[in-house]
């Protein structure tokens, strides 16, 4: 999202040229896949965490430019809203104490950044949606200064031709309209990156899709929006609606949404990039002067700039990524389903579970997705977003069962096996997966804790909803800094 794109107007000629250039990039990408020119020897994992900024009263602080200037660390970047920033963690190998190294680095970076952010009156929070967020916080003026965001806003609404309607039926009901994409800024996520070879990509992407719902159920951390209790992971329906370029008539025709789970299992990474080009018109038709075919012909590595830019405007929950590092191309699965938080330890435990289970599933002799319809995986995803850790899911051979039973009986053993295959230190493996096990046994994740705490404050302390939500967030921040996993937080 943060890539710099200059503010400009787009002509019909721009769009025609961009379409041709993207298709040329796609042809070159297909040739590269046939030629096996990818970095596969040392697969790396990566991590991004989007953060919210709040003031002393736990209200959103529209000061990310000031906070980033104070932090002065290139690992921290802008995000869509002025109350958002993002940390990009340098990639690492999982083997040995790689996960512990992730945790140490993230904690140290966040603690140092928090100290510096406090000098400009802001505090960082890892949470899916700020409980104190109100509609008046999400306006055109609240978008970050990066011209890309204003340009995306213009293009999305030019495609729609009308205001956004956001409707979410949960415990409460929400029905609002928006004339900007600012509501998307309410959604703050954790993204796990996993480098894979072209030959392995389809298996790892399919595996990630099968467990996306389970991930959301275990990690749900966004039960509130605009003072209402909605889904346990309200970030999912909000993000799906806040960037929807389709008016109602286009939806009725079956046109695909840009925030997309997908519609089929794949056999190659090419399937995903080809679908993006075939189904989705350009939002940012910006071309460079590079000829990727000529670049490939002379033995250099094409950047495929237009294909990558286009791919960045199709928001798959598991997104394919093509990138070039030190003139060597590689592929990654970018797992985007989880919210931020609650703690760094919870985040790394979520990552350990994900990396372990997808390894076991992707390398199994009989692929799970050959026994499960794609629509069942998508239904699991939305059921888990709605109900969180109390969700019921479908699983081949087991039928419908509580998600916590599935995790304890079937998926945790897979996670152990997968982390062993990655070479993770056994003590580190046990420490992180014990967090997931205890979350299941207690039935408490971030969303459950927030809801329990809110109701206790309303019922026992007779606080009104707005005051209670502020107290929820203040207590949340205290526990977040202690880095004690959320299943141990007191209500």
């Amino acid at each position: 999202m943060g890539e710099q794109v200059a503010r400009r107007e787009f002509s019909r000629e721009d769009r025609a040229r961009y379409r041709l250039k993207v298709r040329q990039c796609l042809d070159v990408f297909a040739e590269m896949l046939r030629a096996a020119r990818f970095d596969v020897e040392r697969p790396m994992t990566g991590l991004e965490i989007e953060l919210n900024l709040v003031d002393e009263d736990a209200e959103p602080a529209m000061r990310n430019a000031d906070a980033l200037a104070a932090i002065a660390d290139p690992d921290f970047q802008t995000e869509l809203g002025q109350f958002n920033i993002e940390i990009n963690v340098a990639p690492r190998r999982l083997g040995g104490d790689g996960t512990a190294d992730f945790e140490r680095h993230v904690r140290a970076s966040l603690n140092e950044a928090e100290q510096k952010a406090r000098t400009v009156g802001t505090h960082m929070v890892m949470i899916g949606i700020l409980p104190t967020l109100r509609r008046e916080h999400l306006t055109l003026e609240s978008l970050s200064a990066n011209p890309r965001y204003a340009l995306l806003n213009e293009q999305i609404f030019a495609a729609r031709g009308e205001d956004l309607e956001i409707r979410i039926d949960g415990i409460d009901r929400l029905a609002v309209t928006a004339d900007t994409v600012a509501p998307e800024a309410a959604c703050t996520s954790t993204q796990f990156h996993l480098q894979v070879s072209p030959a392995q990509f389809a298996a790892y992407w399919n595996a990630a899709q099968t467990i996306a719902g389970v991930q959301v159920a275990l990690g749900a951390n966004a039960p509130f929006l605009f003072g209402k209790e909605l889904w346990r992971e309200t970030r999912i329906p909000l993000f799906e609606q806040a960037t929807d370029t389709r008016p109602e008539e286009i939806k009725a025709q079956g046109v695909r949404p840009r925030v997309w789970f997908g519609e089929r299992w794949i056999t190659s990474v090419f399937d995903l990039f080809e679908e993006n080009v075939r189904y989705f018109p350009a939002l940012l038709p910006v071309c460079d002067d590079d000829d990727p075919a000529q670049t490939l012909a002379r033995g250099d590595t094409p950047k495929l700039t237009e294909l990558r830019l286009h791919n960045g405007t199709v928001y798959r929950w598991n997104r394919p990524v093509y990138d070039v590092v030190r003139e060597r191309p590689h592929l990654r699965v970018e797992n985007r389903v989880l919210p931020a938080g609650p703690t760094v330890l919870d985040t790394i435990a979520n990552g350990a579970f994900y990396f372990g289970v997808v390894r076991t599933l992707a390398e199994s002799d009989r692929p799970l997705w050959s026994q499960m319809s794609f629509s069942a995986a998508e239904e699991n995803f939305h059921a888990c977003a709605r109900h969180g850790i109390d969700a019921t899911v479908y699983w081949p051979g087991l039928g419908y069962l509580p998600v916590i039973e599935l995790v304890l009986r079937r998926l945790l053993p897979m996670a152990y096996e997968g982390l062993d295959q990655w070479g993770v230190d056994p003590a580190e493996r046990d420490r992180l997966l014990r967090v997931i096990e205890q979350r299941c046994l207690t039935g408490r994740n971030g969303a459950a804790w927030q809801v329990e705490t809110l109701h206790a404050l309303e019922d026992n302390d007779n606080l009104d909803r707005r005051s209670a939500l502020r107290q929820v967030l203040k207590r949340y921040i205290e526990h977040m800094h202690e880095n004690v996993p959320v299943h141990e937080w007191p209500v």
Side-chain angles (χ1 to χ4, degrees):
M1 282 292 293
E3 183 177 339
Q4 291 288 343
V5 177
R7 188 74 177 271
R8 59 176 292 183
E9 299 289 331
F10 296 116
S11 66
R12 287 177 291 179
E13 290 76 13
D14 289 331
R15 295 185 180 279
R17 181 175 176 235
Y18 185 82
R19 179 179 287 113
L20 289 174
K21 190 74 181 290
V22 167
R23 290 175 177 173
Q24 183 187 23
C25 287
L26 191 64
D27 291 341
V28 170
F29 182 57
E31 179 62 30
M32 293 178 70
L33 291 174
R34 286 191 291 270
R37 297 163 54 95
F38 289 79
D39 184 4
V40 298
E41 289 87 9
R42 288 172 50 86
M44 306 290 278
T45 57
L47 172 64
E48 301 173 65
I49 304 173
E50 296 167 357
L51 305 155
N52 286 287
L53 297 174
V54 297
D55 60 21
E56 297 294 340
D57 293 324
E59 294 286 330
M62 306 293 173
R63 304 192 64 188
N64 66 355
D66 295 336
L68 288 170
I71 293 168
D73 182 340
D75 288 348
F76 289 82
Q77 300 177 1
T78 59
E79 254 297 328
L80 178 62
Q82 291 190 38
F83 59 97
N84 306 141
I85 60 175
E86 177 180 84
I87 179 173
N88 294 286
V89 183
R92 285 165 172 74
R93 302 190 73 183
L94 281 179
D97 67 345
T99 52
D101 192 37
F102 262 130
E103 184 178 353
R104 285 191 296 268
H105 177 82
V106 173
R107 286 199 70 194
S109 295
L110 291 180
N111 287 338
E112 182 178 355
E114 168 69 12
Q115 293 298 323
K116 293 176 178 178
R118 286 178 181 175
T119 65
V120 294
T122 62
H123 302 272
M124 299 188 303
V125 189
M126 295 193 303
I127 195 168
I129 296 175
L130 281 175
T132 54
L133 197 67
R134 301 190 301 278
R135 289 184 63 186
E136 54 264 35
H137 293 130
L138 299 175
T139 64
L140 186 61
E141 291 71 29
S142 66
L143 296 182
S144 291
N146 186 333
R148 173 177 174 139
Y149 301 128
L151 197 54
L152 270 174
N153 182 71
E154 290 175 4
Q155 296 303 306
I156 286 174
F157 279 89
R160 278 189 64 84
E162 60 189 44
D163 288 351
L164 287 165
E165 289 192 3
I166 297 172
R167 298 181 180 275
I168 304 173
D169 291 338
I171 305 300
D172 300 326
R173 302 183 69 182
L174 177 71
V176 298
T177 59
D179 58 3
T180 75
V181 296
E184 182 191 336
C187 308
T188 40
S189 307
T190 296
Q191 291 139 32
F192 297 116
H193 290 254
L194 179 58
Q195 183 182 339
V196 296
S197 70
Q200 294 174 308
F201 189 95
Y204 274 87
W205 187 85
N206 289 340
Q209 291 287 95
T210 63
I211 65 163
V214 176
Q215 285 183 271
V216 172
L218 292 174
N221 196 30
F224 308 124
L225 177 63
F226 301 156
K228 295 182 180 292
E229 182 184 344
L230 300 168
W231 290 19
R232 288 303 185 254
E233 188 51 39
T234 303
R235 194 182 112 265
I236 300 296
L238 176 59
F239 191 55
E240 289 177 340
Q241 296 178 48
T243 53
D244 199 340
T245 57
R246 307 167 302 162
E248 291 299 322
E249 296 82 2
I250 299 299
K251 288 183 189 178
Q253 295 174 30
V255 172
R256 295 157 180 86
R258 293 194 92 96
V259 179
W260 199 29
F261 188 80
E263 60 189 18
R264 63 187 176 111
W265 307 118
I266 64 169
T267 58
S268 167
V269 63
F270 185 81
D271 296 346
L272 301 177
F273 282 98
E274 192 274 336
E275 283 181 348
N276 288 356
V277 173
R278 180 154 44 104
Y279 294 146
F280 300 101
L283 280 183
L284 300 174
V286 180
C287 293
D288 65 18
D289 295 326
D290 179 58
D291 185 323
Q294 290 183 5
T295 301
L296 185 63
R298 65 173 179 261
D300 294 332
T301 302
K303 301 294 186 184
L304 305 184
T305 305
E306 292 81 7
L307 187 66
R308 291 164 64 194
L309 179 59
H310 185 61
N311 187 56
T313 63
V314 179
Y315 306 100
R316 294 178 183 271
W317 293 109
N318 282 294
R319 175 190 274 167
V321 176
Y322 167 89
D323 207 351
V324 180
V325 177
R326 293 189 291 274
E327 294 304 313
R328 295 198 67 184
H330 71 258
L331 296 172
R332 304 194 304 268
V333 178
E334 181 187 17
N335 178 254
R336 302 160 47 84
V337 306
L338 285 174
T343 66
V344 174
L345 175 54
D346 284 302
T347 299
I348 303 303
N350 289 339
F353 177 80
Y354 166 72
F355 291 129
V357 175
V358 293
R359 173 89 184 237
T360 299
L361 288 175
E363 301 190 5
S364 63
D365 293 333
R366 187 185 178 197
L368 185 75
W369 45 96
S370 69
Q371 311 163 52
M372 180 181 188
S373 71
F374 193 88
S375 61
E378 184 173 15
E379 289 167 8
N380 283 349
F381 181 67
H382 287 101
C384 290
R386 180 183 288 273
H387 301 292
I389 205 163
D390 296 322
T392 295
V393 295
Y394 172 79
W395 200 256
L398 300 177
Y400 287 92
L401 74 167
V403 69
I404 57 174
E405 183 179 339
L406 172 64
V407 172
L408 293 171
R409 285 176 54 187
R410 187 66 59 89
L411 298 187
L412 267 177
M414 288 185 184
Y416 276 92
E417 178 184 344
L419 292 181
D420 286 343
Q421 291 177 318
W422 285 117
V424 174
D425 179 83
E428 180 65 10
R429 174 203 64 196
D430 294 349
R431 179 181 75 95
L432 294 174
L433 293 184
R434 192 175 298 116
V435 172
I436 303 300
E437 178 188 51
Q438 290 301 311
R439 211 183 289 167
C440 291
L441 293 174
T442 60
R444 179 174 293 166
N445 57 13
W449 181 88
Q450 289 186 58
V451 169
E452 288 180 56
T453 302
L454 174 76
H455 292 168
L457 289 164
E458 289 182 326
D459 296 342
N460 301 334
D461 294 7
N462 295 317
L463 294 181
D464 61 74
R465 175 60 60 92
R466 185 170 172 181
S467 299
L469 286 171
R470 181 177 290 109
Q471 287 301 314
V472 168
L473 185 54
K474 286 184 174 181
R475 296 180 185 195
Y476 180 102
I477 293 170
E478 291 176 6
H479 296 313
M480 179 190 75
H481 284 298
E482 294 168 354
N483 201 38
V484 174
V486 70
H487 68 265
E488 296 182 17
W489 291 10
V491 174

